[in-house]
Amino acid sequence: MKFSLTQRLTGVLIGVLVLTLTTISLATVVATSQSTERTLQRELAVSERVLYSLLHQRGQQLVQAASVLADDFGFRQAVASDDEDTIVSALSNHGRRIDSDLMVLFSPSGEVSISTHELPDIENIAAGDVGFVESEGNTYQLVVVPVRAPHLMAWVGLGFVVDQELAAQLKGLTNADVTFLSDQENTEIYASTLAVNLQHDLLAALQNEALADDWYESQGLRGQRLSLDGPVEVLLSVSYQAAQGPFRVLRQQLILVIVVTLLVSLLIGSLWGRRIVKPLKKLALAAQQIAQGRYDTSIKVSGNDELAQLGNSFQKMQEAIAEREQHISYQLYHDTVTDLPNRRLLARETENRAKAGESFQLAVLTITNFKQLNDTFGQDVCEQLLKQVKVRLLRVSDNFWLASLSEDKFVLLTTECTSETEYFQLLECLKTPFEYAQASYFLSFALGISESPEHAIELDHLLRQAHIALMRISREHHNIGFYQAGEDEYHMRQLAISGALKDAIKLNQFSLVYQPQLDLEAGQVVAVEALIRWQHHELGFIGPDEFIPLAEQSGDIQALTRWVLQEAMSQAAEWQEQGLELRIAINLSAADLLDSSLVNYIQALLADCKLSPRHLLLEVTESAVIENPEKAQRSLQQLRDAGMHLAIDDYGTGYSSLAQLRALPVTELKIDKSFVMQLDSSVDDQTIVSSTIELAHRLGLKVVAEGVENKASWRLLQEYGCDLLQGYYIARPLPEDQVLSWITSLDISSISPANKYRYKTK
Ligand code: C2E
Ligand code: CA
Ligand code: CA
């Protein structure tokens, strides 16, 4: 069972009160009963004294009356003359006069001579109060006085009966119940002020002495037994209950006080509890609302106490939380550097516009040289520049909605019909250098634009399309580009290819083809270039030009290169076993040159396949070397040191001069096919190719021409002194199982230009 705080507070209050009141009550009960006991004892003592004194008084009264009789002349004469009749008459007359109940005349020695009642003789008779005597079921207080004339002639005795009247009289004086009883074996009650039924009980109890005390207790009495002269006892008893009378009132009052106190404190407790609980409830409610994200509850607790202070603190806490949350949510939706809306807010904005059916353009503005700036000048400078870009953009026009996408990119939401010219004007404003800390910084920008809802509705799609446009214009060296419908599909295919690349090796989807290289000097095929092929079950055939760059981007290229190396070398070993000595040319990517474990890997493979390093030629493009010249050069050196041949591939497509390439430990130069394919018809190509060959030879490099598509080109190349030829005219890349038969059946003289040289045939 659950109790509310008010109930618990009231409970505690009442508990404490009950405890206190119980203690007080107990103390009172103990004190009053002790006091009652004392009162009773005192009453009994007083009663005892009163009883004795009363009996004594009566005794004196009797003595006086007896003395009057004993002094009476007539009576003495009658005694002296033993005149019985006169004596009797005198006794009875006198007795009537003083209202005595018993008259007796004793002989000088104490024998009863004449008596109104049956009495025993008295031994050692002496004047005064004799005490009590029993006669005929009654007890009497008896006194005797001598009758002298002048010598002792007799004793005259008078007695009062001990009866109900005496008992009542005594009770009236002592306030205790008085019971006269015989102290003989057969106890009997002579007179008693006790109720009749009590008298019976008392008699029964007295039969058994031991029970007497208990009996008092059981009857709510306190008693005292006194022995009187003679065979009589007096029992004084007082009622405990009667003595307690005044205390009972006190107790009733006490109970009343307790009940009233409890009721009042119950009331006060619940009121007080409510007074405490009310603000607490208020605080609890406020806390609940804070938890639910509502911060507008007023938490004012009146007063000046701790609860009021708590309420105050709660209020402050609520405000602080609200403020912090506002701050957090601001940060959540804003860029920390530029303070512009971030991608989250941008998403909300585009969504709202889409819902409202609005058409707009989304332009991604990128700082194309941001990475260099960041590398050169550091983050702090770049952050300042970003802020300035923002300011400048906002100053140009307020016709667009501006957001920060990433550290080097902004997004502008513009109206649907914003033209290229307008974008151009925007870029113009950003052309002037940015000033910061007395230095000028040139920033270059590019804008990729997609349109909603024409191209896409969702932000992700719009952004991707704008980025596709950016990629295109970066290839085309433009700085503004609108996304064109369909570009996305190409991009999607690229994504699909990138995704499929991961599993292609495992799924055994790659294969190698080999394109023969003809040595003009030797007049025979001395080498083959291994070229990768990929047949995907859904995407179909994917050319290496398409997926190699993607593998380079995704980082899958290293695994791919290793697969090619392994596959090609085991193939070369197989050919070697079949008696075909062929050098295998394998293409390496930039990333491979950064792979420091590649050299060891290749050496292990060579050892496995029992091939000599001279059977291996590794082709590297100049761009791969340029990306990281020092590291690439180190890798190439290691490969060269290990005895492998190295060739510069696609020579002529890059910007490097032969002189620069000289520094590299390469052994061959492969003139790119773009210069060779139309060699026979292009005078320019002829100039380039012939001079390249000449120069390469001077640098001690062998020259391979790829892309030889006709006999005329062959002839020219032969004239220029080219060392090796590769091209469709000689052979297309061949599946591994066709290489051996193709080479054996090759008749060079049938394809070679005018047989200026004589070729060996196999
Ligand atoms: P590449 O290294 O310049 O390879 C020569 C490319 O020219 C091959 O295209 C080949 O089929 C083609 N070719 C040869 N002779 C002629 C000709 O007379 N006319 C024409 N039009 N083309 C000719 P492929 O096999 O499509 O390879 C394209 C590129 O893919 C290669 O260019 C190379 O950069 C890359 N590649 C191919 N296989 C691998 C590989 O295993 N690893 C790496 N890293 N790249 C590879
Ligand atoms: Ca190649
Ligand atoms: Ca090439």
Side-chain angles (χ1 to χ4, degrees):
M1 197 170 19
K2 278 188 176 169
F3 292 102
S4 71
L5 187 58
T6 318
Q7 284 169 330
R8 272 182 283 159
L9 279 174
T10 316
V12 169
L13 186 74
I14 299 296
V16 171
L17 245 155
V18 165
L19 195 72
T20 314
L21 291 174
T22 311
T23 313
I24 292 175
S25 308
L26 276 176
T28 312
V29 168
V30 171
T32 52
S33 44
Q34 282 175 349
S35 164
T36 307
E37 282 307 334
R38 276 197 302 276
T39 310
L40 289 178
Q41 294 309 323
R42 209 163 35 238
E43 247 173 44
L44 282 175
V46 170
S47 299
E48 186 186 336
R49 279 200 300 278
V50 169
L51 176 80
Y52 280 129
S53 110
L54 193 71
L55 290 176
H56 178 69
Q57 213 180 313
R58 274 176 50 123
Q60 289 305 303
Q61 211 182 325
L62 283 174
V63 168
Q64 238 167 29
S67 300
V68 170
L69 181 60
D71 290 345
D72 185 83
F73 181 74
F75 181 67
R76 274 195 300 187
Q77 252 191 341
V79 172
S81 60
D82 208 10
D83 178 357
E84 199 166 323
D85 289 345
T86 311
I87 294 169
V88 169
S89 133
L91 281 175
S92 61
N93 283 341
H94 196 77
R96 218 174 299 127
R97 213 178 312 130
I98 62 158
D99 216 6
S100 153
D101 299 307
L102 184 143
M103 305 293 291
V104 61
L105 192 74
F106 292 99
S107 69
S109 55
E111 287 115 33
V112 176
S113 322
I114 299 167
S115 173
T116 53
H117 292 72
E118 185 88 30
L119 284 175
D121 298 335
I122 299 172
E123 282 172 46
N124 306 324
I125 195 163
D129 196 346
V130 173
F132 292 82
V133 291
E134 204 188 12
S135 167
E136 299 159 16
N138 279 321
T139 188
Y140 298 87
Q141 185 180 8
L142 183 69
V143 297
V144 288
V145 291
V147 182
R148 294 177 201 275
H151 62 273
L152 178 71
M153 290 186 294
W155 299 86
V156 67
L158 292 174
F160 286 136
V161 69
V162 171
D163 59 0
Q164 208 56 34
E165 203 185 322
L166 175 68
Q169 194 188 356
L170 280 169
K171 185 180 176 171
L173 290 168
T174 60
N175 200 32
D177 277 306
V178 183
T179 304
F180 291 96
L181 25 90
S182 67
D183 68 350
Q184 312 296 268
E185 233 165 80
N186 281 328
T187 316
E188 60 177 308
I189 294 174
Y190 300 120
S192 174
T193 57
L194 286 173
V196 180
N197 57 334
L198 272 183
Q199 292 180 25
H200 288 301
D201 287 355
L202 173 63
L203 269 179
L206 285 171
Q207 306 301 321
N208 187 351
E209 276 286 318
L211 284 181
D213 286 341
D214 287 348
W215 182 81
Y216 290 127
E217 291 284 334
S218 69
Q219 300 303 317
L221 298 173
R222 297 291 180 274
Q224 190 163 356
R225 268 167 95 166
L226 309 168
S227 282
L228 299 177
D229 296 333
V232 179
E233 279 186 351
V234 178
L235 184 73
L236 290 173
S237 61
V238 280
S239 161
Y240 184 80
Q241 254 156 2
Q244 271 215 320
F247 293 122
R248 206 173 301 133
V249 177
L250 178 77
R251 255 184 239 176
Q252 279 163 357
Q253 285 170 346
L254 189 69
I255 288 171
L256 190 70
V257 167
I258 288 176
V259 170
V260 171
T261 312
L262 282 178
L263 285 177
V264 170
S265 34
L266 200 70
L267 190 73
I268 291 178
S270 66
L271 286 177
W272 180 58
R274 236 169 265 163
R275 216 189 85 77
I276 294 181
V277 169
K278 215 169 125 195
L280 282 180
K281 272 191 182 154
K282 213 169 167 185
L283 293 176
L285 186 76
Q288 242 167 35
Q289 296 201 322
I290 290 173
Q292 285 161 9
R294 284 193 49 195
Y295 307 113
D296 54 352
T297 326
S298 154
I299 321 173
K300 285 247 154 57
V301 177
S302 55
N304 214 357
D305 54 7
E306 289 86 342
L307 281 172
Q309 285 169 12
L310 187 63
N312 222 338
S313 313
F314 242 74
Q315 182 74 33
K316 280 188 191 142
M317 184 183 84
Q318 176 178 263
E319 283 161 13
I321 292 177
E323 202 181 298
R324 209 156 47 227
E325 199 174 281
Q326 229 174 15
H327 183 66
I328 290 172
S329 77
Y330 184 83
Q331 280 186 326
L332 200 67
Y333 289 103
H334 289 83
D335 184 79
T336 42
V337 176
T338 60
D339 226 12
L340 282 171
N342 63 10
R343 193 193 173 105
R344 280 193 198 90
L345 202 52
L346 174 66
R348 206 193 272 176
E349 178 68 20
T350 50
E351 204 181 306
N352 289 344
R353 289 187 185 211
K355 271 188 199 149
E358 228 177 280
S359 306
F360 62 94
Q361 293 184 356
L362 179 143
V364 173
L365 176 76
T366 172
I367 306 170
T368 50
N369 60 343
F370 188 83
K371 192 179 175 314
Q372 287 117 280
L373 288 168
N374 204 48
D375 291 348
T376 320
F377 304 111
Q379 199 179 346
D380 288 351
V381 171
C382 282
E383 284 183 359
Q384 294 307 319
L385 295 178
L386 283 170
K387 285 179 190 165
Q388 288 193 30
V389 172
K390 163 195 148 183
V391 171
R392 231 188 256 191
L393 280 170
L394 291 173
R395 212 186 295 140
V396 178
S397 152
D398 51 8
N399 224 353
F400 51 78
W401 193 92
L402 187 61
S404 276
L405 189 62
S406 60
E407 59 174 7
D408 60 343
K409 285 188 183 100
F410 294 88
V411 166
L412 296 85
L413 297 184
T414 58
T415 53
E416 58 178 318
C417 46
T418 313
S419 66
E420 190 167 356
T421 325
E422 285 169 272
Y423 285 117
F424 184 75
Q425 282 163 356
L426 193 86
L427 290 187
E428 278 299 298
C429 301
L430 299 170
K431 261 198 178 145
T432 38
F434 290 81
E435 308 287 333
Y436 175 65
Q438 276 124 29
S440 296
Y441 299 90
F442 288 90
L443 273 64
S444 46
F445 294 89
L447 268 168
I449 302 136
S450 58
E451 289 168 54
S452 175
E454 199 185 318
H455 293 146
I457 290 171
E458 279 173 37
L459 176 66
D460 281 353
H461 293 177
L462 288 166
L463 284 174
R464 194 182 62 237
Q465 292 169 347
H467 276 101
I468 290 169
L470 276 174
M471 284 190 262
R472 174 170 38 81
I473 59 174
S474 108
R475 285 195 299 271
E476 295 167 355
H477 304 291
H478 291 149
N479 52 10
I480 296 173
F482 285 83
Y483 168 78
Q484 281 150 16
E487 266 187 293
D488 213 2
E489 279 88 79
Y490 164 75
H491 195 70
M492 292 308 283
R493 177 175 161 85
Q494 289 204 313
L495 284 181
I497 292 173
S498 291
L501 261 174
K502 304 261 175 261
D503 297 323
I505 295 182
K506 247 187 283 162
L507 296 175
N508 212 12
Q509 290 173 341
F510 291 121
S511 60
L512 287 181
V513 288
Y514 300 91
Q515 189 174 30
Q517 290 182 347
L518 184 74
D519 187 320
L520 285 178
E521 171 78 35
Q524 61 180 7
V525 172
V526 291
V528 286
E529 179 178 4
L531 295 161
I532 194 163
R533 294 292 174 261
W534 182 13
Q535 186 69 38
H536 188 268
H537 59 284
E538 273 173 8
L539 298 164
F541 174 79
I542 309 164
D545 278 334
E546 197 173 7
F547 71 81
I548 292 292
L550 294 175
E552 285 171 344
Q553 271 171 34
S554 66
D556 293 313
I557 192 67
Q558 295 189 358
L560 201 127
T561 302
R562 287 179 184 222
W563 180 84
V564 173
L565 282 163
Q566 194 185 330
E567 194 69 17
M569 280 201 245
S570 62
Q571 185 58 56
E574 205 174 296
W575 284 324
Q576 201 167 39
E577 268 172 36
Q578 293 166 353
L580 189 59
E581 277 271 324
L582 281 178
R583 192 181 64 180
I584 304 268
I586 290 171
N587 295 285
L588 291 188
S589 285
D592 297 320
L593 293 181
L594 305 180
D595 176 2
S596 50
S597 61
L598 187 70
V599 181
N600 291 339
Y601 181 79
I602 296 176
Q603 283 181 318
L605 272 181
L606 286 170
D608 272 0
C609 302
K610 300 191 181 69
L611 287 176
S612 136
R614 67 190 161 78
H615 284 115
L616 197 58
L617 178 127
L618 300 168
E619 297 186 6
V620 205
T621 60
E622 28 176 334
S623 55
V625 178
I626 301 294
E627 261 181 49
N628 200 329
E630 287 155 34
K631 224 167 175 190
Q633 180 146 10
R634 219 176 304 141
S635 292
L636 290 175
Q637 193 61 57
Q638 281 176 333
L639 292 167
R640 183 70 199 114
D641 291 345
M644 283 158 246
H645 289 278
L646 300 173
I648 289 290
D649 203 357
D650 299 348
Y651 178 74
T653 53
Y655 296 102
S656 42
S657 67
L658 255 182
Q660 280 169 303
L661 295 178
R662 212 170 123 187
L664 299 173
V666 292
T667 50
E668 279 179 30
L669 194 72
K670 269 187 106 169
I671 301 174
D672 190 66
K673 58 179 178 279
S674 57
F675 300 100
V676 180
M677 286 188 307
Q678 292 92 28
L679 187 68
D680 56 325
S681 54
S682 162
V683 181
D684 283 351
D685 288 348
Q686 290 165 11
T687 318
I688 295 168
V689 172
S690 63
S691 55
T692 304
I693 294 174
E694 200 187 326
L695 250 162
H697 279 164
R698 277 199 213 152
L699 293 171
L701 301 172
K702 281 199 159 194
V703 180
V704 186
E706 65 176 6
V708 181
E709 292 198 346
N710 50 52
K711 211 189 248 186
S713 303
W714 179 337
R715 193 200 320 272
L716 287 169
L717 290 163
Q718 196 169 332
E719 277 172 22
Y720 305 149
C722 187
D723 303 286
L724 290 147
L725 302 187
Q726 179 184 350
Y728 290 174
Y729 178 69
I730 297 147
R732 291 199 170 241
L734 301 166
E736 58 188 33
D737 54 354
Q738 291 177 21
V739 174
L740 186 65
S741 59
W742 181 85
I743 290 179
T744 13
S745 62
L746 174 67
D747 174 13
I748 291 188
S749 58
S750 67
I751 54 166
S752 69
N755 204 357
K756 194 172 171 186
Y757 303 97
R758 296 171 72 236
Y759 298 115
K760 295 170 202 161
T761 47
K762 268 220 160 185

